[in-house]
Amino acid sequence: MIDHDPSGDPADSSGEVPTAGGTLTGIDAVAATVFAELLEATHLTRPDDIARVLADKVVPLGVTDLVVYLIDLEQTALIPVPGGPVAGRPVLRVEGTLGGRAFATVAVLEADAPAPGRRRLWLPMVDGTDRIGVVEMTVPAPRGRVESRLLAYCERYVHLTAQLILSKSAYGDVFELVRRRQPMSVAAELQRSLLPPLVFATRNLVVAGVLEPCYTVGGDSFDYAVNGDVAHLAVFDAMGHGLTAAGTAAVALSAYRTARRQLLDLSGTYAAIDATLVEEFRGE
């Protein structure tokens, strides 16, 4: 893990950026420009272009060779996202690789880089507390270690990367296809489209779930919501297999969400789900 040393010298950079709180100089000014230009560039960017834009816009900070990896659906491998400098980059196993270790431990790790005065970083890519991948990059290290302020900006850049990938994933299939390593059944496609985020955490609560086998799951599903001091949890297991079971579970889950958002109590929620299933499937 990298030791954050607040006494390290800032990166050698110049220029000024005026802000409401004063004028930024040095690495702070460069970082402000990098983030502003990234947000402007990605406003109208296609999902397929995100990896390339992310790699290009961070170069003024001295960062090169930025590669975004997403975790596969089975949580065993990290897959490079196409469009950036990924030529020759292999799929990384979570077990036994530096990138996998950064993902599993949610820690920033570093390694030697081929060029002198540079280090290679592996930074976990996290949405809240949900790990979605890692980012690899090469950064300046003129004294053999990465300057703390540069490291902080790299971590923030990766956090913004996670937000961009999640927001852009709703508009295309590139990120979903990266995460898949085999064909998915229609039933599993339906079930996955209804899932809430797989991980949610606060200081007092952690909720996590997964569907396995993820490519062929049928009638199993779950849902949750955290409203104030109440955590709502539901697990569904529809009778049968395949698309028929998935459809039944989808109806039950939708009825559950409707009842929850109507503020029904537990028994009222059960009755509402039961009535919906009876009406939809004619009492079977």
Side-chain angles (χ1 to χ4, degrees), residues 70-119:
L70 296 180
I71 189 67
D72 76 319
L73 296 182
E74 294 177 300
Q75 307 275 304
T76 61
L78 294 159
I79 319 295
V81 176
V86 297
R89 301 298 175 113
V91 172
L92 302 176
R93 302 293 300 177
V94 171
E95 187 75 25
T97 66
L98 199 59
R101 181 181 166 199
F103 173 83
T105 61
V106 199
V108 180
L109 302 178
E110 70 171 86
D112 293 333
R118 307 209 28 106
R119 298 283 284 171

Side-chain angles (χ1 to χ4, degrees), residues 2-63:
I2 290 179
D3 179 17
H4 294 240
D5 180 8
S7 64
D9 295 331
D12 182 15
S13 50
S14 58
E16 297 183 350
V17 174
T19 70
T23 300
L24 299 178
T25 60
I27 189 175
D28 300 318
V30 175
T33 301
V34 164
F35 281 90
E37 291 186 354
L38 176 64
L39 291 172
E40 181 179 2
T42 55
H43 179 60
L44 297 175
T45 299
R46 300 177 305 175
D48 306 69
D49 296 327
I50 286 292
R52 175 186 56 79
V53 174
L54 286 166
D56 291 344
K57 292 302 178 182
V58 76
V59 170
L61 280 172
V63 176

Side-chain angles (χ1 to χ4, degrees), residues 206-225:
V206 176
V207 180
V210 67
L211 292 184
E212 284 288 350
C214 62
Y215 294 102
T216 58
V217 67
D220 299 320
S221 195
F222 65 88
D223 195 31
Y224 70 86

